[in-house]
């Protein structure tokens, strides 16, 4: 099947590209993991 | 429950249900019934996606999970944000562009009708069983507060959700889930505040958490690589990534949620927001379980949290005396444990590690003794009623709420549990109906019906699936902690389904026949691996997905090389 060309005309909210949202998501995940590591160590 | 609690409960639920039905009036076709006319903004998509995943199981069993096993379950969600990113890049644009009602329609275009039907069938099996479990969860609540047999509760809850979903369809589900989530978040904040307020005066919040930490309940992260350990960083990040990718990318109960978005951007943003908010939300819910655990270090916990079963055994002439004797011993040791815990809490203020370690070992020794009495009590309960649930972790939070929270709040929290269940079960029933009508009925049995006819069939299908899910719920008591059960069930099928979709997207040379055979072989392998307990269940998602892709590649290669050439 020939994959249809996807036209993504929607305006990206807040940022200029979707990559910024993706980077924010990864950054928040990393921050949370660090936070949970600190909590684990503090209460061990 | 008091009259005020019942009033709060009924008013909250009635308001939500009436709102949903009013908002969804005037549906004339399946575009409206199944996809809400694709008009919804990102925040509605986000809340709907979250509400679909967060059923009563989340609010009942997650605190219970943390109570008995600590916070490590949070690692299960680490793969979710990454899965949202992949879905935003790949699946969402394709689904929107192809204007599909269900995820499986796409597979016929890519492969063939039988692959579409196989995938739809795997989904129907998995989602049907899971939705049955989501009906069972709030039935536990109802049977506990009304002190009725759980089977009656199952019929009541199942009947209510069927009515609500049949009449309102996807629009009712989506609109009401927004308010459900708002009420749920507020209620949880209140519950957390109340647990902290109920701690003894001499015990600070931090000390209570430190006590829980010493008793291994704040074991949030575990970086050790161990394929047989259910919850560690790696199984959550990798296994969890595959599970969430499959769940959100191929399970119609979620695909149907974000296909209601008015555009690709709205669907994407809805999913990304879910990725940002989900882990903190789950952390908070699990933390409530730890706080309840902390609370019960300073107050006596019942020997078994399922009051209905305890009541049954106390009414049994054969077993009542031995149960009472064990309970008396349990209560006596518990008092000693509370004293030891208070000493541990006081020792935390001093800077003496030796004293602290000694206090911790005393508390742990008392805890071990209590567990022995609990096991004996559970054995008696089981002898009294062989069908009794042997795991009471699903009842811990419920027991706490009904025993200790003030009037009014009990009603609100019970309402939250019902609302969560309704939202999730309604999404489940809606997706089962969508797939049955679009991928089975319309595809194979009646391609040329009118919109009015398909709308009728969608409603009938919802009823039928509701009844089947009630049957599943009636048999769900043996599954242990429901949060684990529903994820184990998912892990048995999601890997294969995801593998089929990834082959569809990224392995263009694979034909329908090949992936069909590969999927069947893989599913057999997964069942076998689960049966012989090769790895912990999260890894089954990875194995299933990669197996479909690898076996497809091998079969296609073999076919290309050895198949007779067409003349």
């Amino acid at each position: 099947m020939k994959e249809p060309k996807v036209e993504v005309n929607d305006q990206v909210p807040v940022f200029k590209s979707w990559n910024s949202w993706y980077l924010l998501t990864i950054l928040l995940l990393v921050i949370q993991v660090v936070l949970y590591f600190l909590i684990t160590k503090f209460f061990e | 429950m008091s009259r005020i609690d019942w009033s709060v409960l009924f008013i909250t639920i009635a308001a939500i249900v009436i709102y949903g039905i009013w908002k969804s009036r005037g549906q004339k076709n399946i575009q409206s019934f199944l996809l809400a006319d694709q008009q919804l903004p990102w925040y509605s998509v986000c809340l709907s996606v979250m509400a679909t995943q967060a059923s009563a199981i989340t609010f009942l069993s997650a605190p219970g999970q943390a109570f008995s096993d600590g916070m490590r379950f949070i690692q299960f969600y680490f793969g979710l944000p990454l899965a949202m990113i992949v879905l935003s890049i790949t699946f969402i644009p394709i689904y929107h562009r192809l204007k599909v009602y269900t995820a499986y329609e796409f597979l016929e275009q890519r492969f063939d009708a039988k692959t579409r039907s196989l995938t739809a069938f795997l989904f129907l099996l998995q989602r049907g069983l899971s939705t049955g479990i989501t009906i069972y969860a709030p039935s536990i609540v109802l049977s506990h507060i009304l002190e009725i047999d759980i089977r009656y509760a199952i019929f009541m809850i199942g009947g209510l959700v069927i009515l609500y979903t049949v009449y309102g369809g996807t629009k009712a589900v989506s609109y009401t889930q927004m308010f459900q989530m708002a009420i749920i978040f507020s209620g949880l904040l209140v519950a957390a505040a109340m647990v902290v307020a109920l701690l003894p005066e001499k015990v600070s919040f931090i000390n209570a958490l430190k006590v829980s930490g010493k008793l291994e309940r704040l074991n949030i992260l575990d970086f050790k690589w161990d394929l047989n350990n259910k919850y560690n960083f790696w199984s959550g990040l990798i296994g969890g990534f595959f599970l969430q990718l499959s769940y959100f990318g191929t399970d119609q109960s979620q695909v149907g949620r974000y296909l209601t978005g008015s555009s690709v951007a709205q669907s994407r943003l809805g999913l990304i927001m879910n990725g940002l908010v989900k882990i903190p939300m789950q952390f908070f819910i699990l933390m409530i379980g730890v706080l309840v655990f902390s609370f019960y270090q300073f107050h006596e916990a019942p020997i078994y949290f399922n009051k209905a079963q305890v009541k049954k055994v106390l009414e049994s002439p054969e077993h009542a005396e031995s149960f009472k004797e064990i309970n008396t011993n349990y209560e006596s040791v518990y008092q000693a444990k509370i004293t030891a815990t208070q000493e541990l809490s006081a020792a935390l203020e001093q800077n003496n590690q030796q004293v602290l370690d000694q206090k911790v070992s005393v508390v742990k020794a008392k805890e071990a003794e209590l567990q022995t009495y609990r096991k004996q009590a559970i054995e008696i309960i089981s002898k009294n009623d062989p069908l009794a649930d042997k795991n009471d972790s699903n009842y811990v939070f419920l027991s706490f709420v009904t025993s200790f929270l003030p009037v009014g709040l009990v009603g609100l929290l019970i309402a939250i549990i019902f609302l969560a269940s309704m939202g999730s079960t309604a999404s489940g029933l809606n997706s089962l109906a969508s797939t049955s009508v679009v991928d089975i009925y319309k595809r194979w049995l009646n391609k040329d019906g009118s919109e009015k006819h398909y709308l009728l069939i969608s409603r009938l299908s919802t009823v039928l699936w509701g009844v089947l899910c009630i049957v599943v719920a009636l048999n769900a008591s043996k599954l242990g902690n429901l949060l684990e059960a529903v994820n184990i069930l998912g892990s048995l099928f999601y890997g294969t389904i995801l593998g089929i979709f990834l082959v569809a997207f990224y392995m263009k040379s694979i034909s329908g026949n090949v992936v069909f055979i590969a999927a069947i072989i893989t599913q057999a392998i997964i069942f076998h691996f689960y049966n012989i307990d090769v790895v912990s269940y999260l890894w089954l998602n990875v194995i299933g997905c990669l197996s479909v892709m690898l076996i497809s590649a091998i079969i296609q290669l073999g076919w290309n090389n050895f198949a007779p050439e067409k003349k």
Side-chain angles (χ1 to χ4, degrees):
Chain A
M1 182 197 85
K2 192 179 173 187
E3 201 164 288
K5 191 178 167 194
V6 177
E7 290 165 21
V8 182
N9 297 330
D10 306 302
Q11 219 174 1
V12 184
V14 180
F15 296 120
K16 284 188 181 165
S17 81
W18 284 106
N19 287 340
S20 302
W21 278 111
Y22 304 149
L23 283 170
L24 176 67
T25 303
I26 293 170
L27 180 65
L28 280 174
L29 176 62
V30 169
I31 289 172
Q32 283 179 89
V33 171
V34 169
L35 183 65
Y36 298 150
F37 176 76
L38 291 173
I39 292 173
T40 301
K41 286 295 162 198
F42 181 74
F43 287 106
E44 228 172 24
Chain B
M1 293 211 311
S2 68
R3 279 188 191 165
I4 295 176
D5 289 321
W6 281 110
S7 306
V8 169
L9 175 61
F10 278 122
I11 289 168
T12 311
I13 292 178
I16 294 284
V17 171
I18 291 167
Y19 176 77
I21 290 174
W22 175 71
K23 262 297 209 187
S24 62
R25 63 197 187 283
Q27 294 183 66
K28 292 190 177 140
N29 53 42
I30 57 171
Q31 168 83 2
S32 188
F33 188 77
L34 300 178
L35 291 183
D37 295 313
Q38 289 186 298
Q39 282 178 357
L40 301 184
W42 67 267
Y43 51 85
S44 188
V45 168
C46 176
L47 289 171
S48 187
V49 159
M50 291 178 73
T52 297
Q53 191 175 20
S55 69
I57 297 170
T58 304
F59 301 105
L60 272 184
S61 303
Q65 177 74 20
F67 178 90
S68 53
D69 193 45
M71 292 283 294
R72 64 186 187 131
F73 191 81
I74 192 69
Q75 296 169 114
F76 174 90
Y77 296 99
F78 284 176
L80 187 147
L82 304 178
M84 298 301 102
I85 293 172
V86 170
L87 290 173
S88 293
I89 295 169
T90 54
F91 289 58
I92 288 179
I94 291 175
Y95 287 147
H96 265 275
R97 181 72 178 163
L98 293 175
K99 297 191 193 315
V100 294
Y101 286 104
T102 73
Y104 319 110
E105 280 184 273
F106 158 70
L107 290 176
E108 181 166 359
Q109 298 179 34
R110 168 64 179 86
F111 294 123
D112 50 34
K114 67 177 181 298
T115 307
R116 172 186 178 179
S117 299
L118 171 69
T119 316
F121 172 72
L122 289 175
F123 161 74
L124 288 172
L125 185 58
Q126 185 273 328
R127 185 47 54 197
L129 291 169
S130 296
T131 307
I133 297 174
T134 63
I135 291 176
Y136 180 70
S139 305
I140 292 173
V141 177
L142 200 59
S143 83
H144 183 89
I145 58 178
L146 292 179
E147 293 186 15
I148 59 173
D149 191 303
I150 196 162
R151 283 165 289 192
Y152 298 128
I154 287 170
F155 283 119
M156 285 162 67
I157 298 281
L160 179 66
V161 177
I162 290 172
L163 271 172
Y164 167 82
T165 315
V166 165
Y167 193 82
T170 289
K171 257 191 195 167
V173 172
S174 294
Y175 278 116
T176 55
Q177 279 173 333
M178 283 198 303
F179 287 102
Q180 284 167 6
M181 288 307 288
I183 294 171
I184 284 165
F185 278 125
S186 321
L188 284 176
L189 278 169
V190 168
M194 285 307 309
V195 178
V196 173
L198 287 169
L199 290 171
E201 270 181 34
K202 291 178 191 171
V203 179
S204 68
F205 170 65
I206 292 292
N207 268 7
L209 285 183
K210 280 184 178 175
V211 166
S212 297
K214 294 292 175 200
L215 298 175
E216 291 155 16
R217 292 304 188 278
L218 282 168
N219 49 346
I220 304 174
L221 288 185
D222 179 1
F223 286 104
K224 196 173 161 203
W225 178 268
D226 178 358
L227 291 175
N228 291 308
N229 180 359
K230 279 191 292 194
Y231 308 118
N232 58 48
F233 179 80
W234 307 110
S235 68
L237 190 68
I238 302 170
F241 169 75
F242 278 82
L243 184 149
Q244 306 292 355
L245 189 64
S246 185
Y247 173 58
F248 286 97
T250 70
D251 189 313
Q252 183 60 26
S253 66
Q254 285 293 2
V255 174
R257 297 296 104 222
Y258 58 77
L259 282 186
T260 58
S262 56
S263 67
V264 169
Q266 298 301 311
S267 296
R268 269 180 174 166
L269 193 56
L271 276 194
I272 292 290
M273 282 299 171
N274 176 49
L276 294 175
V277 173
K278 182 70 181 179
I279 297 178
M281 181 183 111
Q282 286 299 142
F283 180 87
F284 184 60
I285 294 169
L286 287 166
M287 182 56 80
I288 290 177
V290 172
L291 289 174
V292 171
F293 176 83
S294 302
F295 172 82
Y296 279 123
Q297 301 317 297
F298 302 97
H299 295 86
E300 193 178 308
I303 192 167
Y304 197 65
F305 285 94
N306 185 337
K307 282 185 196 167
Q309 287 298 335
V310 171
K311 192 179 168 194
K312 249 186 187 173
V313 94
L314 288 174
E315 285 166 359
S316 147
E318 204 183 329
H319 297 114
E321 281 314 309
S322 45
F323 187 86
K324 280 180 193 168
E325 196 187 323
I326 293 169
N327 198 35
T328 306
N329 294 335
Y330 173 86
E331 284 172 354
S332 153
V333 173
Y334 212 111
Q335 288 306 317
K337 185 193 163 193
I338 289 174
T339 308
T341 311
Q342 284 165 342
E343 287 173 12
L344 168 60
S345 175
L348 285 165
E349 304 289 340
Q350 304 161 17
N351 207 7
N352 191 330
Q353 191 60 43
Q354 207 173 358
V355 168
L356 194 57
D357 290 343
Q358 191 261 333
K359 298 292 179 196
V360 169
S361 56
V362 168
V363 173
K364 282 186 176 177
K366 292 290 172 208
E367 178 61 35
E369 221 180 314
L370 287 173
Q371 288 305 321
T372 309
Y373 288 127
R374 261 181 57 85
K375 274 189 192 148
Q376 290 171 6
I378 291 170
E379 261 175 49
I380 294 179
I381 287 170
S382 203
K383 278 182 198 164
N384 188 51
D385 179 1
L387 296 176
D389 195 348
K390 284 188 189 176
N391 182 324
D392 62 350
S393 69
N394 299 317
Y395 291 84
V396 169
F397 185 58
L398 181 61
S399 173
F400 171 79
V401 165
T402 51
S403 303
F404 294 101
L405 292 198
V407 162
L409 273 182
V410 178
L412 180 62
L413 281 168
I414 302 293
I416 282 166
I417 291 169
F418 281 130
L419 288 173
S421 153
M422 279 160 57
S424 189
T425 309
S427 288
L429 286 182
N430 199 253
S431 67
L432 289 164
S434 308
T435 303
S436 303
V437 170
V438 174
D439 295 299
I440 309 290
Y441 180 79
K442 203 175 169 190
R443 175 60 185 80
W444 294 105
L445 299 175
N446 185 351
K447 290 185 188 179
D448 303 312
S450 66
E451 281 301 319
K452 205 173 161 187
H453 173 75
Y454 290 132
L455 184 59
L456 175 65
I457 297 297
S458 296
R459 294 197 204 272
L460 284 174
S461 177
T462 307
V463 173
L464 182 64
W465 275 110
V467 169
L468 286 172
C469 291
I470 287 174
V471 172
V472 170
L474 289 168
N475 292 286
S477 64
K478 295 186 189 314
L479 295 176
N481 184 283
L482 298 179
L483 187 61
E484 271 197 343
V486 79
N487 284 299
I488 290 171
L489 191 56
S491 298
L492 288 174
F493 294 94
Y494 280 147
T496 308
I497 296 174
L498 179 63
I500 293 172
F501 274 83
L502 292 184
V503 168
F505 290 146
Y506 300 116
M507 295 167 75
K508 302 294 181 196
S509 60
I510 307 292
S511 71
N513 288 335
V514 167
V515 79
F516 184 84
I517 294 167
I520 290 176
I521 294 172
T522 299
Q523 198 56 62
I525 291 172
I526 293 298
F527 285 147
H528 178 63
F529 275 13
Y530 178 69
N531 208 27
I532 62 173
D533 203 13
V534 169
V535 289
S536 67
Y537 72 88
L538 275 174
W539 293 107
L540 295 177
N541 295 283
V542 185
I543 294 170
C545 178
L546 296 180
S547 295
V548 170
M549 297 171 84
L550 183 65
I551 295 172
S552 296
I554 292 170
I555 296 175
Q556 188 68 60
L557 193 65
W559 181 261
N560 291 345
N561 286 330
F562 297 110
E565 282 187 30
K566 287 182 184 174
K567 287 184 185 169

